[in-house]
Amino acid sequence: MEKNELILAIETSCDETAAAVVQDGTKLLSNVVATQMDIHQKFGGVVPEVASRHHIEQMTVVLEQAVTEANVTMEDIDAVAVTEGPGLVGALLVGVNAAKALAYAHGKPVIGVHHIAGHIYANRLEKEFEFPLLSLVVSGGHTELIYMEEHGEYEIIGETRDDAAGEAYDKVAKALSLPYPGGPQIDRLAQEGKDTYNFPRSYLEEGSYDFSFSGLKTAVINKLHHLRQKGEEIDVENVATSFQESVIDVLVDKTYDAAKDYGVKQLIVAGGVSANKTLRARMEQRFAETDVELAIPPLYLCTDNAAMIGAAASVEYHKQNYASLNLNANPGLMM
């Protein structure tokens, strides 16, 4: 009987210290996440040096808990995977060095994983991929459309030219004096408001799959300044709804066009913003009448976690695409 493949994965690209054990790239045995959200909330965003220090404090605890919950030992583990980049360099270094130390101490191969590949492969823990597929990755630092014809092959066909969708959410939330992180706050308020401000939708030139949210963010901030200068009351719920409707209209329309033009069988929505209730509902509505299968991960797999890194690493493990012990953090890692 063939032995099951077990990968111990580490994720420290931003402010979540995470470890997980994944079996055969599709089965989750453990998934431990130590969040720093409360720590960074008072600063209105992630402070890199603070994040790095907390990763150091939590790493051993999180790793031990992941192995214990999976009911395995390091002898059972076949490879150690870690987020190589992109991300905050100090935060990445903590995870990369922990992974290399474990791999060296136990004689295991180490696998460097691209953070965005991880977000895409989070979906494989719920549903097997059907190629060719399209993935919409939406997070605080990324908004991309990625076409895949097979496992581990990524072609970026569209990306943001300025602010990522999640970044725009955070900046608009800050302008509205909402707590960090801004995305969930705006999504909650948007359920109660109306699209009364009719903010612009940036579709760029015809046929482009790229995104641009900087102009929308500026339009919202300018509107708020104008209302405050005139002493008019600001309806926060309506601002949130109007902003979110603009973002989601563009995300859904461009994704729909790309899926149709590329003739994909499956659409994967990934990244932190994929937890947005309105985005999930609008995607389901738009693709319900198509032949494209829609896959959106459960909420616990939308935000940063190590399970997704283990799932993505499984593909590289079968290719024996191992890193050397010279592996380093790469904050600007390209796909």
Side-chain angles (χ1 to χ4, degrees):
M1 182 175 175
E2 187 177 347
K3 176 185 179 296
N4 290 322
E5 156 217 314
L6 296 177
I7 292 179
L8 173 61
I10 299 170
E11 152 64 24
T12 61
S13 65
C14 191
D15 62 337
E16 313 285 3
T17 312
V21 177
V22 177
Q23 177 182 308
D24 299 329
T26 59
K27 185 177 181 181
L28 190 55
L29 301 188
S30 66
N31 188 33
V32 181
V33 180
T35 182
Q36 302 176 20
M37 189 178 298
D38 291 344
I39 297 166
H40 297 283
Q41 199 168 53
K42 60 186 175 184
F43 301 110
V46 177
V47 181
E49 290 185 4
V50 174
S52 300
R53 286 198 294 270
H54 281 278
H55 285 314
I56 294 170
E57 293 171 2
Q58 295 293 327
M59 179 55 65
T60 302
V61 176
V62 167
L63 281 167
E64 289 178 350
Q65 187 176 343
V67 172
T68 300
E69 289 186 6
N71 196 28
V72 299
T73 68
M74 281 304 301
E75 294 305 309
D76 300 317
I77 297 297
D78 294 295
V80 181
V82 64
T83 304
E84 179 183 356
L88 302 175
V89 63
L92 290 167
L93 277 169
V94 177
V96 167
N97 284 320
K100 290 194 297 184
L102 273 174
Y104 178 76
H106 296 277
K108 309 293 182 181
V110 63
I111 301 170
V113 176
H114 195 288
H115 183 73
I116 297 305
H119 275 303
I120 293 170
Y121 272 86
N123 284 272
R124 198 176 179 216
L125 293 165
E126 293 290 316
K127 185 178 294 186
E128 188 54 83
F129 286 0
E130 295 288 336
F131 298 106
L133 66 78
L134 179 71
S135 180
L136 170 68
V137 180
V138 273
S139 67
H142 301 270
T143 304
E144 297 168 338
L145 282 168
I146 298 172
Y147 175 71
M148 296 177 63
E149 289 190 340
E150 60 182 75
H151 283 298
E153 300 294 331
Y154 312 96
E155 179 187 352
I156 299 175
I157 63 171
E159 58 190 334
T160 183
R161 297 181 182 179
D162 39 61
D163 289 351
E167 184 180 3
Y169 267 94
D170 286 338
K171 288 178 178 178
V172 168
K174 188 173 184 179
L176 289 169
S177 300
L178 298 175
Y180 174 86
Q185 303 295 333
I186 288 182
D187 189 26
R188 176 180 57 81
L189 291 169
Q191 311 304 316
E192 304 169 14
K194 297 180 180 178
D195 184 5
T196 57
Y197 291 101
N198 193 30
F199 290 126
R201 274 75 167 157
S202 179
Y203 288 100
L204 303 175
E205 61 272 12
E206 186 176 353
S208 172
Y209 302 126
D210 282 351
F211 301 93
S212 173
F213 296 108
S214 180
L216 168 62
K217 171 206 65 183
T218 301
V220 176
I221 292 173
N222 286 344
K223 172 61 73 172
L224 293 175
H225 286 165
H226 181 69
L227 292 172
R228 286 166 180 151
Q229 286 173 351
K230 293 177 65 177
E232 296 183 15
E233 182 179 354
I234 296 172
D235 190 319
V236 177
E237 288 83 2
N238 286 353
V239 172
T241 303
S242 300
F243 164 74
Q244 178 157 282
E245 286 296 312
S246 177
V247 173
I248 289 177
D249 278 353
V250 173
L251 290 175
V252 173
D253 288 348
K254 282 184 172 284
T255 303
Y256 179 84
D257 289 345
K260 180 178 63 176
D261 293 345
Y262 276 77
V264 299
K265 295 180 180 179
Q266 192 177 51
L267 168 66
I268 288 171
V269 183
V273 182
S274 66
N276 183 284
K277 291 179 182 178
T278 305
L279 176 62
R280 295 167 82 95
R282 198 74 60 79
M283 283 291 187
E284 289 172 1
Q285 180 183 3
R286 190 67 176 272
F287 283 88
E289 298 178 0
T290 71
D291 294 328
V292 178
E293 180 184 46
L294 177 63
I296 307 178
L299 297 182
Y300 77 96
L301 289 176
C302 292
T303 52
D304 291 350
N305 62 85
M308 67 186 197
I309 301 303
S314 176
V315 173
E316 306 307 321
Y317 176 78
H318 286 283
K319 295 178 180 179
Q320 296 189 348
N321 188 13
Y322 305 143
S324 74
L325 291 178
N326 291 323
L327 179 69
N328 201 359
N330 189 344
L333 183 65
M334 305 295 290
M335 291 201 80

